[in-house]
PDB file of all heavy atoms in Angstrom:
ATOM      1  N   TYR K 937      -9.265 -25.894  37.395  1.00 97.00           N
ATOM      2  CA  TYR K 937     -10.700 -26.046  37.198  1.00 97.00           C
ATOM      3  C   TYR K 937     -10.993 -26.142  35.687  1.00 97.00           C
ATOM      4  O   TYR K 937     -11.691 -25.316  35.106  1.00 97.00           O
ATOM      5  CB  TYR K 937     -11.446 -24.869  37.831  1.00 97.00           C
ATOM      6  CG  TYR K 937     -11.293 -24.807  39.327  1.00 97.00           C
ATOM      7  CD1 TYR K 937     -10.217 -24.139  39.910  1.00 97.00           C
ATOM      8  CD2 TYR K 937     -12.197 -25.448  40.161  1.00 97.00           C
ATOM      9  CE1 TYR K 937     -10.069 -24.098  41.282  1.00 97.00           C
ATOM     10  CE2 TYR K 937     -12.050 -25.413  41.540  1.00 97.00           C
ATOM     11  CZ  TYR K 937     -10.980 -24.736  42.103  1.00 97.00           C
ATOM     12  OH  TYR K 937     -10.823 -24.703  43.469  1.00 97.00           O
ATOM     13  N   LYS K 938     -10.423 -27.178  35.105  1.00 97.00           N
ATOM     14  CA  LYS K 938     -10.443 -27.271  33.643  1.00 97.00           C
ATOM     15  C   LYS K 938     -11.822 -27.633  33.098  1.00 97.00           C
ATOM     16  O   LYS K 938     -12.245 -27.097  32.073  1.00 97.00           O
ATOM     17  CB  LYS K 938      -9.400 -28.301  33.187  1.00 97.00           C
ATOM     18  CG  LYS K 938      -7.980 -27.857  33.525  1.00 97.00           C
ATOM     19  CD  LYS K 938      -6.943 -28.880  33.128  1.00 97.00           C
ATOM     20  CE  LYS K 938      -5.550 -28.383  33.517  1.00 97.00           C
ATOM     21  NZ  LYS K 938      -4.502 -29.380  33.185  1.00 97.00           N
ATOM     22  N   LYS K 939     -12.508 -28.527  33.768  1.00 96.00           N
ATOM     23  CA  LYS K 939     -13.842 -28.896  33.300  1.00 96.00           C
ATOM     24  C   LYS K 939     -14.796 -27.716  33.391  1.00 96.00           C
ATOM     25  O   LYS K 939     -15.561 -27.438  32.455  1.00 96.00           O
ATOM     26  CB  LYS K 939     -14.403 -30.053  34.132  1.00 96.00           C
ATOM     27  CG  LYS K 939     -15.768 -30.563  33.642  1.00 96.00           C
ATOM     28  CD  LYS K 939     -16.210 -31.778  34.430  1.00 96.00           C
ATOM     29  CE  LYS K 939     -17.549 -32.301  33.924  1.00 96.00           C
ATOM     30  NZ  LYS K 939     -17.517 -32.734  32.523  1.00 96.00           N
ATOM     31  N   GLU K 940     -14.723 -26.966  34.507  1.00 98.00           N
ATOM     32  CA  GLU K 940     -15.571 -25.804  34.674  1.00 98.00           C
ATOM     33  C   GLU K 940     -15.259 -24.745  33.609  1.00 98.00           C
ATOM     34  O   GLU K 940     -16.170 -24.124  33.046  1.00 98.00           O
ATOM     35  CB  GLU K 940     -15.390 -25.200  36.069  1.00 98.00           C
ATOM     36  CG  GLU K 940     -15.893 -26.061  37.202  1.00 98.00           C
ATOM     37  CD  GLU K 940     -14.907 -27.109  37.679  1.00 98.00           C
ATOM     38  OE1 GLU K 940     -13.846 -27.289  37.023  1.00 98.00           O
ATOM     39  OE2 GLU K 940     -15.157 -27.764  38.716  1.00 98.00           O
ATOM     40  N   ALA K 941     -13.966 -24.557  33.330  1.00 98.00           N
ATOM     41  CA  ALA K 941     -13.566 -23.572  32.330  1.00 98.00           C
ATOM     42  C   ALA K 941     -14.028 -23.979  30.946  1.00 98.00           C
ATOM     43  O   ALA K 941     -14.561 -23.173  30.179  1.00 98.00           O
ATOM     44  CB  ALA K 941     -12.044 -23.420  32.339  1.00 98.00           C
ATOM     45  N   ARG K 942     -13.855 -25.267  30.623  1.00 98.00           N
ATOM     46  CA  ARG K 942     -14.267 -25.744  29.290  1.00 98.00           C
ATOM     47  C   ARG K 942     -15.782 -25.656  29.099  1.00 98.00           C
ATOM     48  O   ARG K 942     -16.259 -25.205  28.059  1.00 98.00           O
ATOM     49  CB  ARG K 942     -13.774 -27.189  29.115  1.00 98.00           C
ATOM     50  CG  ARG K 942     -13.957 -27.745  27.722  1.00 98.00           C
ATOM     51  CD  ARG K 942     -13.302 -29.099  27.605  1.00 98.00           C
ATOM     52  NE  ARG K 942     -11.883 -29.021  27.334  1.00 98.00           N
ATOM     53  CZ  ARG K 942     -10.921 -29.443  28.133  1.00 98.00           C
ATOM     54  NH1 ARG K 942     -11.228 -29.941  29.332  1.00 98.00           N
ATOM     55  NH2 ARG K 942      -9.657 -29.346  27.784  1.00 98.00           N
ATOM     56  N   ASN K 943     -16.531 -26.041  30.120  1.00 98.00           N
ATOM     57  CA  ASN K 943     -17.990 -25.976  30.016  1.00 98.00           C
ATOM     58  C   ASN K 943     -18.474 -24.530  29.866  1.00 98.00           C
ATOM     59  O   ASN K 943     -19.396 -24.240  29.092  1.00 98.00           O
ATOM     60  CB  ASN K 943     -18.656 -26.630  31.234  1.00 98.00           C
ATOM     61  CG  ASN K 943     -18.516 -28.144  31.232  1.00 98.00           C
ATOM     62  OD1 ASN K 943     -18.220 -28.744  30.194  1.00 98.00           O
ATOM     63  ND2 ASN K 943     -18.716 -28.768  32.370  1.00 98.00           N
ATOM     64  N   ALA K 944     -17.853 -23.615  30.624  1.00 98.00           N
ATOM     65  CA  ALA K 944     -18.238 -22.203  30.525  1.00 98.00           C
ATOM     66  C   ALA K 944     -17.869 -21.636  29.161  1.00 98.00           C
ATOM     67  O   ALA K 944     -18.650 -20.883  28.557  1.00 98.00           O
ATOM     68  CB  ALA K 944     -17.561 -21.402  31.645  1.00 98.00           C
ATOM     69  N   ALA K 945     -16.693 -21.990  28.653  1.00 98.00           N
ATOM     70  CA  ALA K 945     -16.280 -21.521  27.331  1.00 98.00           C
ATOM     71  C   ALA K 945     -17.245 -21.995  26.256  1.00 98.00           C
ATOM     72  O   ALA K 945     -17.631 -21.235  25.351  1.00 98.00           O
ATOM     73  CB  ALA K 945     -14.858 -21.969  27.037  1.00 98.00           C
ATOM     74  N   LEU K 946     -17.634 -23.278  26.337  1.00 98.00           N
ATOM     75  CA  LEU K 946     -18.585 -23.815  25.356  1.00 98.00           C
ATOM     76  C   LEU K 946     -19.940 -23.138  25.475  1.00 98.00           C
ATOM     77  O   LEU K 946     -20.633 -22.894  24.469  1.00 98.00           O
ATOM     78  CB  LEU K 946     -18.711 -25.320  25.529  1.00 98.00           C
ATOM     79  CG  LEU K 946     -17.527 -26.148  25.027  1.00 98.00           C
ATOM     80  CD1 LEU K 946     -17.637 -27.595  25.507  1.00 98.00           C
ATOM     81  CD2 LEU K 946     -17.448 -26.090  23.498  1.00 98.00           C
ATOM     82  N   LYS K 947     -20.330 -22.791  26.680  1.00 98.00           N
ATOM     83  CA  LYS K 947     -21.602 -22.112  26.906  1.00 98.00           C
ATOM     84  C   LYS K 947     -21.591 -20.711  26.256  1.00 98.00           C
ATOM     85  O   LYS K 947     -22.550 -20.299  25.621  1.00 98.00           O
ATOM     86  CB  LYS K 947     -21.864 -22.015  28.397  1.00 98.00           C
ATOM     87  CG  LYS K 947     -23.280 -21.649  28.803  1.00 98.00           C
ATOM     88  CD  LYS K 947     -23.437 -21.732  30.329  1.00 98.00           C
ATOM     89  CE  LYS K 947     -24.834 -21.299  30.770  1.00 98.00           C
ATOM     90  NZ  LYS K 947     -24.955 -21.324  32.257  1.00 98.00           N
ATOM     91  N   ILE K 948     -20.473 -19.993  26.433  1.00 98.00           N
ATOM     92  CA  ILE K 948     -20.347 -18.667  25.803  1.00 98.00           C
ATOM     93  C   ILE K 948     -20.313 -18.795  24.293  1.00 98.00           C
ATOM     94  O   ILE K 948     -21.006 -18.065  23.572  1.00 98.00           O
ATOM     95  CB  ILE K 948     -19.070 -17.966  26.304  1.00 98.00           C
ATOM     96  CG1 ILE K 948     -19.115 -17.739  27.816  1.00 98.00           C
ATOM     97  CG2 ILE K 948     -18.886 -16.614  25.572  1.00 98.00           C
ATOM     98  CD1 ILE K 948     -17.778 -17.361  28.420  1.00 98.00           C
ATOM     99  N   LEU K 949     -19.490 -19.719  23.801  1.00 98.00           N
ATOM    100  CA  LEU K 949     -19.360 -19.901  22.358  1.00 98.00           C
ATOM    101  C   LEU K 949     -20.664 -20.348  21.716  1.00 98.00           C
ATOM    102  O   LEU K 949     -20.998 -19.937  20.591  1.00 98.00           O
ATOM    103  CB  LEU K 949     -18.236 -20.886  22.051  1.00 98.00           C
ATOM    104  CG  LEU K 949     -16.823 -20.332  22.223  1.00 98.00           C
ATOM    105  CD1 LEU K 949     -15.804 -21.453  22.335  1.00 98.00           C
ATOM    106  CD2 LEU K 949     -16.481 -19.402  21.070  1.00 98.00           C
ATOM    107  N   ASN K 950     -21.409 -21.181  22.415  1.00 98.00           N
ATOM    108  CA  ASN K 950     -22.733 -21.579  21.902  1.00 98.00           C
ATOM    109  C   ASN K 950     -23.646 -20.360  21.773  1.00 98.00           C
ATOM    110  O   ASN K 950     -24.373 -20.208  20.782  1.00 98.00           O
ATOM    111  CB  ASN K 950     -23.372 -22.621  22.818  1.00 98.00           C
ATOM    112  CG  ASN K 950     -24.762 -23.006  22.357  1.00 98.00           C
ATOM    113  OD1 ASN K 950     -24.960 -23.612  21.297  1.00 98.00           O
ATOM    114  ND2 ASN K 950     -25.773 -22.652  23.138  1.00 98.00           N
ATOM    115  N   GLY K 951     -23.606 -19.471  22.797  1.00 98.00           N
ATOM    116  CA  GLY K 951     -24.401 -18.267  22.719  1.00 98.00           C
ATOM    117  C   GLY K 951     -23.982 -17.378  21.569  1.00 98.00           C
ATOM    118  O   GLY K 951     -24.824 -16.827  20.835  1.00 98.00           O
ATOM    119  N   MET K 952     -22.673 -17.244  21.373  1.00 98.00           N
ATOM    120  CA  MET K 952     -22.181 -16.450  20.243  1.00 98.00           C
ATOM    121  C   MET K 952     -22.620 -17.051  18.911  1.00 98.00           C
ATOM    122  O   MET K 952     -22.985 -16.335  17.976  1.00 98.00           O
ATOM    123  CB  MET K 952     -20.654 -16.367  20.305  1.00 98.00           C
ATOM    124  CG  MET K 952     -20.110 -15.535  21.445  1.00 98.00           C
ATOM    125  SD  MET K 952     -18.297 -15.466  21.460  1.00 98.00           S
ATOM    126  CE  MET K 952     -17.981 -14.502  19.968  1.00 98.00           C
ATOM    127  N   TYR K 953     -22.587 -18.383  18.840  1.00 98.00           N
ATOM    128  CA  TYR K 953     -22.963 -19.048  17.585  1.00 98.00           C
ATOM    129  C   TYR K 953     -24.459 -18.890  17.305  1.00 98.00           C
ATOM    130  O   TYR K 953     -24.855 -18.701  16.147  1.00 98.00           O
ATOM    131  CB  TYR K 953     -22.603 -20.535  17.650  1.00 98.00           C
ATOM    132  CG  TYR K 953     -22.904 -21.242  16.343  1.00 98.00           C
ATOM    133  CD1 TYR K 953     -22.107 -21.050  15.231  1.00 98.00           C
ATOM    134  CD2 TYR K 953     -24.008 -22.098  16.234  1.00 98.00           C
ATOM    135  CE1 TYR K 953     -22.397 -21.673  14.032  1.00 98.00           C
ATOM    136  CE2 TYR K 953     -24.298 -22.715  15.032  1.00 98.00           C
ATOM    137  CZ  TYR K 953     -23.488 -22.510  13.935  1.00 98.00           C
ATOM    138  OH  TYR K 953     -23.788 -23.126  12.736  1.00 98.00           O
ATOM    139  N   GLU K 954     -25.288 -18.921  18.341  1.00 98.00           N
ATOM    140  CA  GLU K 954     -26.719 -18.716  18.137  1.00 98.00           C
ATOM    141  C   GLU K 954     -26.995 -17.332  17.559  1.00 98.00           C
ATOM    142  O   GLU K 954     -27.867 -17.157  16.700  1.00 98.00           O
ATOM    143  CB  GLU K 954     -27.470 -18.904  19.464  1.00 98.00           C
ATOM    144  CG  GLU K 954     -27.520 -20.336  19.976  1.00 98.00           C
ATOM    145  CD  GLU K 954     -28.309 -21.254  19.064  1.00 98.00           C
ATOM    146  OE1 GLU K 954     -29.342 -20.816  18.515  1.00 98.00           O
ATOM    147  OE2 GLU K 954     -27.894 -22.411  18.878  1.00 98.00           O
ATOM    148  N   VAL K 955     -26.258 -16.331  18.043  1.00 98.00           N
ATOM    149  CA  VAL K 955     -26.391 -14.978  17.497  1.00 98.00           C
ATOM    150  C   VAL K 955     -25.827 -14.919  16.079  1.00 98.00           C
ATOM    151  O   VAL K 955     -26.397 -14.292  15.187  1.00 98.00           O
ATOM    152  CB  VAL K 955     -25.689 -13.954  18.415  1.00 98.00           C
ATOM    153  CG1 VAL K 955     -25.701 -12.550  17.800  1.00 98.00           C
ATOM    154  CG2 VAL K 955     -26.348 -13.939  19.798  1.00 98.00           C
ATOM    155  N   PHE K 956     -24.716 -15.578  15.875  1.00 98.00           N
ATOM    156  CA  PHE K 956     -24.026 -15.595  14.583  1.00 98.00           C
ATOM    157  C   PHE K 956     -24.914 -16.156  13.474  1.00 98.00           C
ATOM    158  O   PHE K 956     -24.979 -15.604  12.354  1.00 98.00           O
ATOM    159  CB  PHE K 956     -22.757 -16.430  14.723  1.00 98.00           C
ATOM    160  CG  PHE K 956     -21.996 -16.685  13.457  1.00 98.00           C
ATOM    161  CD1 PHE K 956     -21.239 -15.664  12.877  1.00 98.00           C
ATOM    162  CD2 PHE K 956     -22.035 -17.915  12.830  1.00 98.00           C
ATOM    163  CE1 PHE K 956     -20.520 -15.911  11.707  1.00 98.00           C
ATOM    164  CE2 PHE K 956     -21.330 -18.164  11.668  1.00 98.00           C
ATOM    165  CZ  PHE K 956     -20.564 -17.147  11.100  1.00 98.00           C
ATOM    166  N   LYS K 957     -25.650 -17.219  13.783  1.00 98.00           N
ATOM    167  CA  LYS K 957     -26.457 -17.863  12.732  1.00 98.00           C
ATOM    168  C   LYS K 957     -27.840 -17.234  12.595  1.00 98.00           C
ATOM    169  O   LYS K 957     -28.598 -17.585  11.681  1.00 98.00           O
ATOM    170  CB  LYS K 957     -26.590 -19.347  13.012  1.00 98.00           C
ATOM    171  CG  LYS K 957     -27.493 -19.726  14.191  1.00 98.00           C
ATOM    172  CD  LYS K 957     -27.584 -21.230  14.352  1.00 98.00           C
ATOM    173  CE  LYS K 957     -28.587 -21.615  15.452  1.00 98.00           C
ATOM    174  NZ  LYS K 957     -28.715 -23.067  15.621  1.00 98.00           N
ATOM    175  N   ASN K 958     -28.187 -16.304  13.487  1.00 98.00           N
ATOM    176  CA  ASN K 958     -29.488 -15.635  13.448  1.00 98.00           C
ATOM    177  C   ASN K 958     -29.428 -14.516  12.398  1.00 98.00           C
ATOM    178  O   ASN K 958     -28.680 -13.556  12.557  1.00 98.00           O
ATOM    179  CB  ASN K 958     -29.816 -15.049  14.818  1.00 98.00           C
ATOM    180  CG  ASN K 958     -31.217 -14.442  14.875  1.00 98.00           C
ATOM    181  OD1 ASN K 958     -31.802 -14.056  13.871  1.00 98.00           O
ATOM    182  ND2 ASN K 958     -31.762 -14.326  16.084  1.00 98.00           N
ATOM    183  N   PRO K 959     -30.211 -14.589  11.321  1.00 98.00           N
ATOM    184  CA  PRO K 959     -30.123 -13.567  10.270  1.00 98.00           C
ATOM    185  C   PRO K 959     -30.471 -12.168  10.735  1.00 98.00           C
ATOM    186  O   PRO K 959     -30.108 -11.193  10.098  1.00 98.00           O
ATOM    187  CB  PRO K 959     -31.115 -14.062   9.211  1.00 98.00           C
ATOM    188  CG  PRO K 959     -32.017 -15.020   9.931  1.00 98.00           C
ATOM    189  CD  PRO K 959     -31.199 -15.632  11.009  1.00 98.00           C
ATOM    190  N   GLU K 960     -31.171 -12.064  11.883  1.00 98.00           N
ATOM    191  CA  GLU K 960     -31.493 -10.732  12.399  1.00 98.00           C
ATOM    192  C   GLU K 960     -30.244 -10.027  12.922  1.00 98.00           C
ATOM    193  O   GLU K 960     -30.177  -8.784  12.961  1.00 98.00           O
ATOM    194  CB  GLU K 960     -32.502 -10.861  13.537  1.00 98.00           C
ATOM    195  CG  GLU K 960     -32.978  -9.531  14.103  1.00 98.00           C
ATOM    196  CD  GLU K 960     -33.987  -9.682  15.228  1.00 98.00           C
ATOM    197  OE1 GLU K 960     -34.435 -10.833  15.483  1.00 98.00           O
ATOM    198  OE2 GLU K 960     -34.329  -8.655  15.846  1.00 98.00           O
ATOM    199  N   PHE K 961     -29.217 -10.811  13.321  1.00 98.00           N
ATOM    200  CA  PHE K 961     -28.024 -10.227  13.908  1.00 98.00           C
ATOM    201  C   PHE K 961     -26.776 -10.622  13.104  1.00 98.00           C
ATOM    202  O   PHE K 961     -26.182  -9.792  12.439  1.00 98.00           O
ATOM    203  CB  PHE K 961     -27.874 -10.682  15.361  1.00 98.00           C
ATOM    204  CG  PHE K 961     -29.076 -10.410  16.210  1.00 98.00           C
ATOM    205  CD1 PHE K 961     -29.787 -11.452  16.791  1.00 98.00           C
ATOM    206  CD2 PHE K 961     -29.513  -9.109  16.417  1.00 98.00           C
ATOM    207  CE1 PHE K 961     -30.906 -11.202  17.577  1.00 98.00           C
ATOM    208  CE2 PHE K 961     -30.633  -8.841  17.196  1.00 98.00           C
ATOM    209  CZ  PHE K 961     -31.331  -9.890  17.781  1.00 98.00           C
ATOM    210  N   GLY K 962     -26.400 -11.904  13.151  1.00 98.00           N
ATOM    211  CA  GLY K 962     -25.200 -12.367  12.459  1.00 98.00           C
ATOM    212  C   GLY K 962     -23.933 -11.782  13.061  1.00 98.00           C
ATOM    213  O   GLY K 962     -23.961 -10.942  13.961  1.00 98.00           O
ATOM    214  N   GLY K 963     -22.801 -12.234  12.597  1.00 98.00           N
ATOM    215  CA  GLY K 963     -21.518 -11.655  12.971  1.00 98.00           C
ATOM    216  C   GLY K 963     -21.107 -11.885  14.412  1.00 98.00           C
ATOM    217  O   GLY K 963     -21.638 -12.723  15.127  1.00 98.00           O
ATOM    218  N   ILE K 964     -20.114 -11.118  14.848  1.00 98.00           N
ATOM    219  CA  ILE K 964     -19.589 -11.145  16.198  1.00 98.00           C
ATOM    220  C   ILE K 964     -19.726  -9.757  16.788  1.00 98.00           C
ATOM    221  O   ILE K 964     -19.332  -8.765  16.174  1.00 98.00           O
ATOM    222  CB  ILE K 964     -18.088 -11.597  16.202  1.00 98.00           C
ATOM    223  CG1 ILE K 964     -17.984 -13.043  15.739  1.00 98.00           C
ATOM    224  CG2 ILE K 964     -17.474 -11.422  17.579  1.00 98.00           C
ATOM    225  CD1 ILE K 964     -16.570 -13.553  15.587  1.00 98.00           C
ATOM    226  N   TRP K 965     -20.280  -9.680  18.005  1.00 98.00           N
ATOM    227  CA  TRP K 965     -20.665  -8.403  18.600  1.00 98.00           C
ATOM    228  C   TRP K 965     -19.744  -8.003  19.750  1.00 98.00           C
ATOM    229  O   TRP K 965     -19.022  -8.817  20.305  1.00 98.00           O
ATOM    230  CB  TRP K 965     -22.109  -8.486  19.068  1.00 98.00           C
ATOM    231  CG  TRP K 965     -23.076  -8.570  17.899  1.00 98.00           C
ATOM    232  CD1 TRP K 965     -23.284  -9.660  17.112  1.00 98.00           C
ATOM    233  CD2 TRP K 965     -23.905  -7.528  17.405  1.00 98.00           C
ATOM    234  NE1 TRP K 965     -24.215  -9.368  16.123  1.00 98.00           N
ATOM    235  CE2 TRP K 965     -24.618  -8.066  16.276  1.00 98.00           C
ATOM    236  CE3 TRP K 965     -24.141  -6.211  17.775  1.00 98.00           C
ATOM    237  CZ2 TRP K 965     -25.525  -7.302  15.548  1.00 98.00           C
ATOM    238  CZ3 TRP K 965     -25.046  -5.445  17.040  1.00 98.00           C
ATOM    239  CH2 TRP K 965     -25.726  -5.997  15.948  1.00 98.00           C
ATOM    240  N   GLU K 966     -19.827  -6.730  20.083  1.00 98.00           N
ATOM    241  CA  GLU K 966     -19.014  -6.152  21.152  1.00 98.00           C
ATOM    242  C   GLU K 966     -19.235  -6.851  22.486  1.00 98.00           C
ATOM    243  O   GLU K 966     -18.295  -7.072  23.241  1.00 98.00           O
ATOM    244  CB  GLU K 966     -19.368  -4.675  21.268  1.00 98.00           C
ATOM    245  CG  GLU K 966     -18.617  -3.894  22.309  1.00 98.00           C
ATOM    246  CD  GLU K 966     -19.065  -2.446  22.373  1.00 98.00           C
ATOM    247  OE1 GLU K 966     -20.115  -2.086  21.791  1.00 98.00           O
ATOM    248  OE2 GLU K 966     -18.348  -1.658  23.016  1.00 98.00           O
ATOM    249  N   ALA K 967     -20.478  -7.191  22.791  1.00 98.00           N
ATOM    250  CA  ALA K 967     -20.852  -7.868  24.038  1.00 98.00           C
ATOM    251  C   ALA K 967     -22.184  -8.572  23.790  1.00 98.00           C
ATOM    252  O   ALA K 967     -22.845  -8.333  22.783  1.00 98.00           O
ATOM    253  CB  ALA K 967     -20.958  -6.874  25.192  1.00 98.00           C
ATOM    254  N   TYR K 968     -22.562  -9.435  24.740  1.00 98.00           N
ATOM    255  CA  TYR K 968     -23.755 -10.263  24.539  1.00 98.00           C
ATOM    256  C   TYR K 968     -24.715 -10.149  25.728  1.00 98.00           C
ATOM    257  O   TYR K 968     -24.299  -9.962  26.875  1.00 98.00           O
ATOM    258  CB  TYR K 968     -23.355 -11.734  24.331  1.00 98.00           C
ATOM    259  CG  TYR K 968     -22.728 -11.933  22.963  1.00 98.00           C
ATOM    260  CD1 TYR K 968     -21.388 -11.636  22.753  1.00 98.00           C
ATOM    261  CD2 TYR K 968     -23.487 -12.346  21.876  1.00 98.00           C
ATOM    262  CE1 TYR K 968     -20.799 -11.782  21.494  1.00 98.00           C
ATOM    263  CE2 TYR K 968     -22.934 -12.493  20.622  1.00 98.00           C
ATOM    264  CZ  TYR K 968     -21.586 -12.204  20.434  1.00 98.00           C
ATOM    265  OH  TYR K 968     -21.018 -12.334  19.187  1.00 98.00           O
ATOM    266  N   SER K 969     -25.999 -10.249  25.403  1.00 98.00           N
ATOM    267  CA  SER K 969     -27.017 -10.261  26.432  1.00 98.00           C
ATOM    268  C   SER K 969     -26.792 -11.434  27.367  1.00 98.00           C
ATOM    269  O   SER K 969     -26.531 -12.557  26.923  1.00 98.00           O
ATOM    270  CB  SER K 969     -28.418 -10.372  25.792  1.00 98.00           C
ATOM    271  OG  SER K 969     -29.382 -10.729  26.768  1.00 98.00           O
ATOM    272  N   PRO K 970     -26.906 -11.228  28.682  1.00 98.00           N
ATOM    273  CA  PRO K 970     -26.682 -12.341  29.603  1.00 98.00           C
ATOM    274  C   PRO K 970     -27.806 -13.361  29.611  1.00 98.00           C
ATOM    275  O   PRO K 970     -27.586 -14.514  30.005  1.00 98.00           O
ATOM    276  CB  PRO K 970     -26.531 -11.653  30.954  1.00 98.00           C
ATOM    277  CG  PRO K 970     -27.308 -10.390  30.836  1.00 98.00           C
ATOM    278  CD  PRO K 970     -27.155  -9.953  29.402  1.00 98.00           C
TER     279      PRO K 970
END
Side-chain angles (χ1 to χ4, degrees):
Y937 296 88
K938 296 177 181 179
K939 184 175 181 62
E940 292 85 351
R942 188 174 277 115
N943 288 343
L946 286 169
K947 194 174 177 183
I948 298 165
L949 284 162
N950 177 67
M952 291 180 68
Y953 183 74
E954 290 296 322
V955 175
F956 174 75
K957 72 178 185 180
N958 185 337
E960 184 180 353
F961 306 117
I964 294 175
W965 291 74
E966 181 181 13
Y968 287 82
S969 165

